[in-house]
């Protein structure tokens, strides 16, 4: 899918004959891979070469799932596939009491073996015609880049794959919840102890202990139009480091036809035939598996709502998405035939960005991962929030209470209760067929326009992207 270029192309005004190179180090989880691949596309538009690194299977995953541009035809974007030792690749457990994707943790630990190859790549690039190499690393990949600052003419910048709202809420909670301007909105968000298992915090602690020695600045896939207050609050807490809100990373405007593919996804052809804002898109991302009981209640609720829908029903990713079989969830007998014409079931990877950008899409039932939130905000689509783990409960709070562009399907405090078909039906009807839903859609559309305008005018995140590029090419 081609981008209608809302960001200006800087050509030769960027890195002065590519004297600076960027190395991108993403975490091997889909939302993280995707965000940094889109950031790579933007940086290359400044005539700066970008080297995107990872394990072979995760590079393949990132390239095969990207939407909005073709990474294989992007000038100055280079992929480096490194081998890592074999890791456990367990199946996700749809019946687990906690929805966190524990099955991905072995692949995250295996990533520590990228440490030496990344350092070698940095030295290699410095040995050519580059006077500086800039490493942008995911906050969960700190241990991979810990040696880079010791290399002359190399520097690191930490990418936060989460919202500034979530980041500051963690700081606020750690400091004992002090009251100050802008913090009252955090009062009824969940404690950090409830959103992820101990295994994640153990992994996170290994990264945090290194952080003070490595980062030269902080990057967010966000915009001051969206999170100005919380970006300012975070900036006060990071000991004088520069902070840039340089998102949204995803393309902000898409053409109707995908010129890079001979086969357009079936969902887009179906959406072409629907009325504007008449379809709700239902997807819980790449890290959530619903139980059979949850799937049944969701199916019944969507049917009872009488609204049109596209539902992506697939299990969460494994550490290696190409290895082994996936569980195929079963729907009620005759369900798909009964709803033919009103609903589409997708059992493989769906082009989420294109679906959200389509004029017929009027709502998004989402887990509220930040990647999904920022894509939905970019395209002006309101959210029915059903958070599952990690930063998602707090992102849902931002969407529903602060930005007021969505509603809760189920409040996080009731996460141990089954979401019944009646709850689903009510949420879908409210979002898609009520005055309240129309107001959310209006606010979402207005926010989308403001975000796009900030880029086109060179204000907001457009100016911050220029500022970051100016800083690294100084």
């Amino acid at each position: 899918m081609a981008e209608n270029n809302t960001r200006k192309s800087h050509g030769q005004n960027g890195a002065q004959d590519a004297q600076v190179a960027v190395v991108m180090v993403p975490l091997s989880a889909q939302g993280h891979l995707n965000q940094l691949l889109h950031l790579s596309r933007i940086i290359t538009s400044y005539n700066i070469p970008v080297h995107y690194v990872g394990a072979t299977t995760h590079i393949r995953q990132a390239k095969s799932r990207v939407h909005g541009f073709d990474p294989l035809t992007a000038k100055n974007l280079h992929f480096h596939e490194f081998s890592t030792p074999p890791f456990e690749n367990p199946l996700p457990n749809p019946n687990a009491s906690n929805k966190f994707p524990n099955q991905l943790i072995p692949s995250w630990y295996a990533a520590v073996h990228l440490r030496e190859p990344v350092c070698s790549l940095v030295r290699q690039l410095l040995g050519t015609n580059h006077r500086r190499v800039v490493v942008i690393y995911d906050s969960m990949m700190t241990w991979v880049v810990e040696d880079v600052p010791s290399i002359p003419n190399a520097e690191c910048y930490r990418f936060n794959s989460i919202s500034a709202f979530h980041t500051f809420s963690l700081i606020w909670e750690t400091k004992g919840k002090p009251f100050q301007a802008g913090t009252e909105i955090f009062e009824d968000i969940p404690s950090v102890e409830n959103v992820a298992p101990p295994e994640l915090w153990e992994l996170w602690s290994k990264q945090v202990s290194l952080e003070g020695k490595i980062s030269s600045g902080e990057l967010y896939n966000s915009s001051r139009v969206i999170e100005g207050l919380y970006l300012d609050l975070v900036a006060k807490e990071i000991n004088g480091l520069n902070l840039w809100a340089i998102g949204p990373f995803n393309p902000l405007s898409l053409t109707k036809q995908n010129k890079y593919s001979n086969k357009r996804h079936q969902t887009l052809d179906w959406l072409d035939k629907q009325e504007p804002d008449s379809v709700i898109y239902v997807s819980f991302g790449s890290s959530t598996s619903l139980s059979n009981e949850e799937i049944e209640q969701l199916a019944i609720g969507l049917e009872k709502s009488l609204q049109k829908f596209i539902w992506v029903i697939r299990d969460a990713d494994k550490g290696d998405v190409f290895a082994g079989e996936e569980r195929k969830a079963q729907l009620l007998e005759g369900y798909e035939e009964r709803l033919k014409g009103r609903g589409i079931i997708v059992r493989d990877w769906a082009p989420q960005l294109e679906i959200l950008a389509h004029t017929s899409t009027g709502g998004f039932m989402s887990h509220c991962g930040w990647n999904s939130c920022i894509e939905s905000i970019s395209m002006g689509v309101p959210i029915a929030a059903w958070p599952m783990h990690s930063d998602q409960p707090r992102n849902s709070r931002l969407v529903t209470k602060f930005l007021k562009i969505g509603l809760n399907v189920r409040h996080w405090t009731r996460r141990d209760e089954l979401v019944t078909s009646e709850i689903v039906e009510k949420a879908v009807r409210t979002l898609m067929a009520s005055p309240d839903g129309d107001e959310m859609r209006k606010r979402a559309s207005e926010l989308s326009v403001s975000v796009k305008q900030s880029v086109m005018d060179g204000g907001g995140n457009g100016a911050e992207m220029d500022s970051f590029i100016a800083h690294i090419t100084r």
Side-chain angles (χ1 to χ4, degrees):
M1 189 73 62
E3 178 184 2
N4 292 333
N5 191 11
T6 54
R7 290 182 186 267
K8 54 189 176 182
S9 178
H10 290 252
Q12 297 302 320
N13 296 324
Q16 301 177 359
D17 298 324
Q19 293 182 28
V20 173
V22 170
V23 175
M24 202 70 69
V25 186
L27 180 72
S28 59
Q30 180 58 35
H32 301 242
L33 292 166
N34 187 58
Q35 289 185 75
L36 286 186
L37 186 51
H38 279 294
L39 177 58
S40 299
R41 170 188 58 87
I42 296 169
I43 292 175
T44 61
S45 75
Y46 289 81
N47 196 34
I48 298 173
V50 176
H51 300 264
Y52 186 98
V53 308
T56 299
T57 187
H58 298 123
I59 294 292
R60 179 185 171 194
Q61 176 181 336
K63 290 193 288 189
S64 67
R65 288 178 170 182
V66 69
H67 291 283
F69 82 109
D70 183 356
L72 298 181
T73 62
K75 183 182 177 183
N76 269 339
L77 178 54
H78 312 280
F79 293 93
H80 297 264
E81 301 179 11
F82 297 124
S83 61
T84 56
F87 52 81
E88 289 183 61
N89 195 37
L91 293 172
N93 178 8
N95 299 310
S97 57
N98 188 304
K99 292 291 186 184
F100 187 84
N102 284 315
Q103 74 277 1
L104 297 181
I105 290 179
S107 69
W108 297 345
Y109 273 101
V112 73
H113 294 277
L114 297 174
R115 180 175 171 181
E116 192 281 328
V118 166
C119 270
S120 294
L121 176 62
V122 170
R123 291 191 179 97
Q124 176 189 334
L125 292 171
L126 285 167
T128 56
N129 64 334
H130 301 299
R131 62 180 173 83
R132 179 181 298 125
V133 172
V134 171
V135 178
I136 299 175
Y137 65 98
D138 191 287
S139 61
M140 292 289 285
M141 294 288 278
T142 306
W143 53 8
V144 172
V145 302
E146 63 177 298
D147 301 321
V148 172
S150 65
I151 302 174
N153 301 317
E155 56 191 30
C156 293
Y157 294 84
R158 183 171 77 165
F159 166 63
N160 299 276
S161 63
I162 55 181
S163 64
F165 180 92
H166 180 71
T167 300
F168 183 74
S169 73
L170 291 176
I171 296 170
W172 180 78
E173 183 172 3
T174 302
K175 290 195 168 187
K177 304 183 179 181
F179 282 97
Q180 54 181 288
T183 62
E184 66 280 350
I185 200 169
F186 297 123
E187 277 305 292
D188 64 349
I189 59 173
S191 167
V192 69
E193 296 175 358
N194 298 323
V195 299
E199 292 87 349
L200 178 71
W201 300 120
E202 180 182 349
L203 180 61
W204 177 251
S205 67
K206 295 176 187 293
Q207 315 290 317
V208 171
S209 63
L210 300 169
E211 194 52 57
K213 313 167 189 175
I214 293 174
S215 177
S216 296
E218 303 264 314
L219 303 177
Y220 280 86
N221 182 12
S222 192
S223 163
R224 295 196 179 275
V225 173
I226 303 169
E227 294 195 280
L229 170 63
Y230 304 104
L231 287 160
D232 289 343
L233 288 169
V234 171
K236 293 177 182 178
E237 301 288 342
I238 57 175
N239 298 323
L241 286 178
N242 288 319
L243 182 153
W244 291 274
I246 54 177
F249 295 168
N250 56 270
L252 299 180
S253 180
L254 303 177
T255 60
K256 188 174 182 181
Q257 296 296 325
N258 186 344
K259 71 178 183 180
Y260 299 119
S261 173
N262 293 323
K263 186 178 180 182
R264 191 168 183 244
H265 199 271
Q266 59 167 339
T267 54
L268 303 175
D269 292 331
W270 182 77
L271 282 169
D272 287 344
K273 302 170 187 175
Q274 311 309 318
E275 294 295 317
D277 295 331
S278 64
V279 177
I280 185 168
Y281 172 59
V282 181
S283 177
F284 302 106
S286 60
S287 65
T288 298
S289 295
L290 297 182
S291 68
N292 290 336
E293 190 175 18
E294 288 170 324
I295 290 171
E296 180 179 339
Q297 291 300 309
L298 178 52
I300 295 170
L302 288 172
E303 182 174 11
K304 286 181 176 179
S305 75
L306 303 180
Q307 303 302 306
K308 296 177 181 178
F309 64 87
I310 295 172
W311 179 11
V312 180
I313 175 173
R314 55 187 298 279
D315 251 9
D317 284 347
K318 306 184 296 297
D320 181 349
V321 300
F322 303 105
E325 295 295 318
E326 290 187 11
R327 161 184 171 245
K328 300 294 184 184
Q330 298 300 310
L331 294 172
L332 298 169
E333 186 175 353
Y335 182 83
E336 292 183 64
E337 184 63 30
R338 199 162 61 246
L339 291 176
K340 194 172 183 179
R342 182 159 74 81
I344 288 185
I345 306 296
V346 180
R347 294 183 179 275
D348 55 8
W349 193 251
Q352 177 165 296
L353 192 60
E354 283 105 321
I355 291 172
L356 291 172
H358 201 287
T359 55
S360 296
T361 303
F364 181 15
M365 184 177 290
S366 172
H367 60 306
C368 287
W370 187 238
N371 193 58
S372 290
C373 286
I374 205 75
E375 289 183 354
S376 201
I377 290 169
S378 299
M379 300 307 167
V381 179
I383 296 173
W386 185 345
M388 301 291 178
H389 60 79
S390 305
D391 59 326
Q392 299 163 18
R394 298 185 180 196
N395 292 341
S396 71
R397 175 76 171 160
L398 173 67
V399 165
T400 59
K401 295 298 183 182
F402 179 58
L403 301 177
K404 301 186 187 304
I405 58 168
L407 54 83
N408 288 305
V409 177
R410 173 196 61 184
H411 198 280
W412 179 252
T413 57
R414 305 181 70 176
R415 63 190 175 278
D416 295 329
E417 301 175 16
L418 178 68
V419 176
T420 64
S421 61
E422 290 79 14
I423 293 173
V424 172
E425 177 188 0
K426 180 181 178 182
V428 173
R429 282 181 178 271
T430 301
L431 190 65
M432 302 301 296
S434 79
D436 286 346
D438 291 340
E439 280 298 311
M440 294 173 201
R441 218 167 346 269
K442 180 173 180 287
R443 284 192 290 269
S445 178
E446 291 170 348
L447 181 58
S448 171
V449 169
S450 296
V451 168
K452 291 174 181 176
Q453 196 66 44
S454 73
V455 174
M456 293 173 68
D457 290 347
N461 64 0
E464 295 214 13
M465 190 70 214
D466 287 351
S467 169
F468 176 65
I469 296 298
H471 178 78
I472 64 174
T473 59
R474 65 197 184 279

